[in-house]
Amino acid sequence: MSWTITTPNVAVEPFNPHEISEVLYDFDGPKIFVTIDSDRLMRFWYESLDDRITKTVRYLVTTTTESQIQMLKSGKRTVHDLLKQPWLWAVDCSYSMDPQNAWVIDEINDVPPDYRPKQDATLFLEHMPLLSYRLVGKGLREGEVPASVIAKAVTGPTSALKRLLEAVMPNESSGRPEESFRRSYDLPAVRFAFNSFEVSFSAPAEEKLESAKGELVVYGNGTSKLKDAFAWLTNPSKHEEPEAYVLQALKELAPPAHGQIESVELRGQLIGNFQQVLISRSDRKTITQALGKKKTDEEQLMQVTGVIRELDKDHRRFTLRNRPDCTEDLICIFTEEHYDDVIEHFANDALISATGRYKTSKNLFEVGDIGLSFTINVDSPKPLLS
């Protein structure tokens, strides 16, 4: 055995894999399986090493439950998750499945990397998350993750994917997104891991992505643009600079310039199976500089003032009128975050002030913040920031 264990031996009698309850992965014999002993204790077995010279197989073994096995089989837990338990053993068995030696292992990280499963390894390839977003920084460990880091882990991927899909599917993103479009970027979070801190998102169920036209939302165009952007970020001199909306998506994913998060790692089907992308703070600077050079009037950050006169609750959009020194009405779209405020301002006929992004191509104002206006300011025809 090339992996030497230095902890004391324990009795092998409790470990008898002859009575396998269920084989979860088989390749020239059971590699991952479950046993249940006479006391109905369920154990999870993972093949760590096959020594063909000594004809011995070393397994990592831990206790488990039926619910944990079902979560593993559905893709909501990884193989690593099941082995990260308070009780973990290494058990050597002969090719005839007779236990020969057993040891207590303090934790899964004490097992050399080559002999334990990767942290994101699912039981089946199709269960690989659509996207895993890991935030790396000093002190990010279980029980010590600030709420701001958790918020970044959720809003970063959601905002980035929304920007991409808005650009490649413009008909779906006017006003309040259709439910199918919203689900295409507001992904189910299926797994959290303290690894610094990581969130894994799965793809929505296909029936929830169907639009009114009966067409499925396709990630292909957006993710293709994103992959090209990663290549540019790695070697800007050899790849074409991405479009502004792709750069904006990259910026959403990048770590903040200051704070505890130092870099981010992305994996999953949107990135490419078994691939990993790292974005650092220096990359964020590159992205920001490229955005600053873009001469585009597609989006402007503006402040507007007026009264909400027409409100469409279903599509989360309203018409802003009575704008000081402006005769044109302005169509505004808003998110769930501002829903209650918009309803209240509409009911009170209040003069409000809102900041957000004006999309010139769609003639829409996307509300970023909204509140009462206590002084009447003339709307500026120029953006506050470019």
Side-chain angles (χ1 to χ4, degrees):
M1 290 284 179
S2 56
W3 166 31
T4 302
I5 302 177
T6 58
T7 55
N9 289 86
V10 296
V12 299
E13 285 75 18
F15 304 98
N16 189 343
H18 283 288
E19 298 298 327
I20 295 178
S21 171
E22 182 179 8
V23 176
L24 300 173
Y25 179 71
D26 186 291
F27 184 78
D28 290 336
K31 303 293 185 183
I32 303 176
F33 56 90
V34 176
T35 61
I36 301 177
D37 64 19
S38 57
D39 294 326
R40 306 304 299 168
L41 180 64
M42 182 178 289
R43 287 189 172 91
F44 176 74
W45 296 66
Y46 168 83
E47 183 180 299
S48 171
L49 173 64
D50 183 353
D51 191 330
R52 297 184 180 276
I53 297 176
T54 62
K55 296 184 178 180
T56 304
V57 181
R58 176 167 293 169
Y59 295 98
L60 299 178
V61 184
T62 187
T63 56
T64 189
T65 63
E66 182 62 35
S67 62
Q68 287 180 320
I69 295 300
Q70 290 303 318
M71 295 181 80
L72 174 70
K73 292 162 69 173
S74 65
K76 295 180 181 178
R77 291 288 185 273
T78 65
V79 178
H80 186 277
D81 289 339
L82 260 70
L83 291 172
K84 192 178 180 181
Q85 303 293 341
W87 290 98
L88 180 65
W89 298 270
V91 179
D92 285 355
C93 294
S94 66
Y95 276 7
S96 59
M97 300 298 282
D98 293 315
Q100 298 177 334
N101 288 291
W103 301 263
V104 171
I105 305 296
D106 289 337
E107 62 171 351
I108 185 64
N109 289 335
D110 290 339
V111 179
D114 290 343
Y115 301 101
R116 66 180 189 238
K118 294 184 181 298
Q119 291 184 330
D120 59 337
T122 52
L123 186 61
F124 305 113
L125 182 60
E126 58 266 28
H127 286 157
M128 178 175 282
L130 191 69
L131 181 66
S132 287
Y133 187 60
R134 182 187 178 206
L135 306 178
V136 182
K138 295 179 180 178
L140 294 181
R141 60 180 66 91
E142 189 167 2
E144 298 182 19
V145 180
S148 59
V149 172
I150 297 175
K152 172 65 176 176
V154 175
T155 59
T158 301
S159 299
L161 196 54
K162 182 174 183 287
R163 283 185 180 274
L164 289 172
L165 296 179
E166 280 180 337
V168 299
M169 296 185 296
N171 292 333
E172 294 285 349
S173 57
S174 298
R176 176 181 182 263
E178 295 291 339
E179 190 66 11
S180 61
F181 176 71
R182 184 186 67 80
R183 288 182 182 275
S184 68
Y185 64 83
D186 192 6
L187 303 174
V190 294
R191 179 174 173 266
F192 296 85
F194 295 93
N195 161 33
S196 297
F197 185 75
E198 180 176 346
V199 181
S200 294
F201 303 91
S202 70
E206 285 195 0
E207 63 270 14
K208 294 180 179 180
L209 290 180
E210 283 191 310
S211 66
K213 299 178 181 179
E215 298 174 348
L216 292 178
V217 174
V218 179
Y219 294 99
N221 290 338
T223 55
S224 176
K225 294 281 188 181
L226 196 58
K227 290 176 183 178
D228 291 342
F230 291 145
W232 165 80
L233 199 56
T234 303
N235 195 336
S237 63
K238 290 188 177 181
H239 296 275
E240 184 179 353
E241 188 173 278
E243 298 172 70
Y245 74 91
V246 184
L247 289 171
Q248 288 283 5
L250 273 184
K251 190 174 180 180
E252 297 282 4
L253 294 171
H258 304 282
Q260 204 165 354
I261 304 170
E262 299 172 355
S263 61
V264 302
E265 295 176 2
L266 297 102
R267 300 187 309 277
Q269 297 180 46
L270 293 185
I271 308 302
N273 290 338
F274 308 113
Q275 295 184 22
Q276 177 178 292
V277 171
L278 175 69
I279 305 178
S280 65
R281 281 179 175 168
S282 60
D283 292 327
R284 181 186 180 90
K285 185 176 180 180
T286 301
I287 296 165
T288 303
Q289 289 175 343
L291 266 174
K293 295 176 183 177
K294 289 288 182 183
K295 295 180 179 180
T296 176
D297 294 325
E298 293 180 0
E299 292 186 359
Q300 299 174 351
L301 183 60
M302 296 180 62
Q303 182 177 33
V304 297
T305 304
V307 179
I308 302 173
R309 288 303 191 193
E310 291 184 7
L311 172 63
D312 186 337
K313 297 179 182 179
D314 293 332
H315 290 82
R316 293 192 190 131
R317 60 193 297 166
F318 60 81
T319 302
L320 195 67
R321 293 177 178 159
N322 295 354
R323 300 170 62 199
D325 285 3
C326 291
T327 57
E328 295 183 356
D329 295 344
L330 183 63
I331 305 299
C332 305
I333 58 178
F334 59 95
T335 63
E336 184 70 31
E337 176 186 359
H338 302 111
Y339 187 89
D340 290 341
D341 289 334
V342 169
I343 297 296
E344 181 179 351
H345 297 326
F346 173 70
N348 295 332
D349 283 337
L351 183 69
I352 62 98
S353 180
T355 57
R357 293 186 295 160
Y358 177 66
K359 301 183 177 183
T360 57
S361 61
K362 301 176 184 178
N363 196 29
L364 286 172
F365 182 79
E366 188 176 272
V367 175
D369 193 20
I370 188 170
L372 291 173
S373 178
F374 296 101
T375 58
I376 299 179
N377 296 320
V378 176
D379 286 339
S380 172
K382 298 181 180 180
L384 298 176
L385 296 173
S386 57

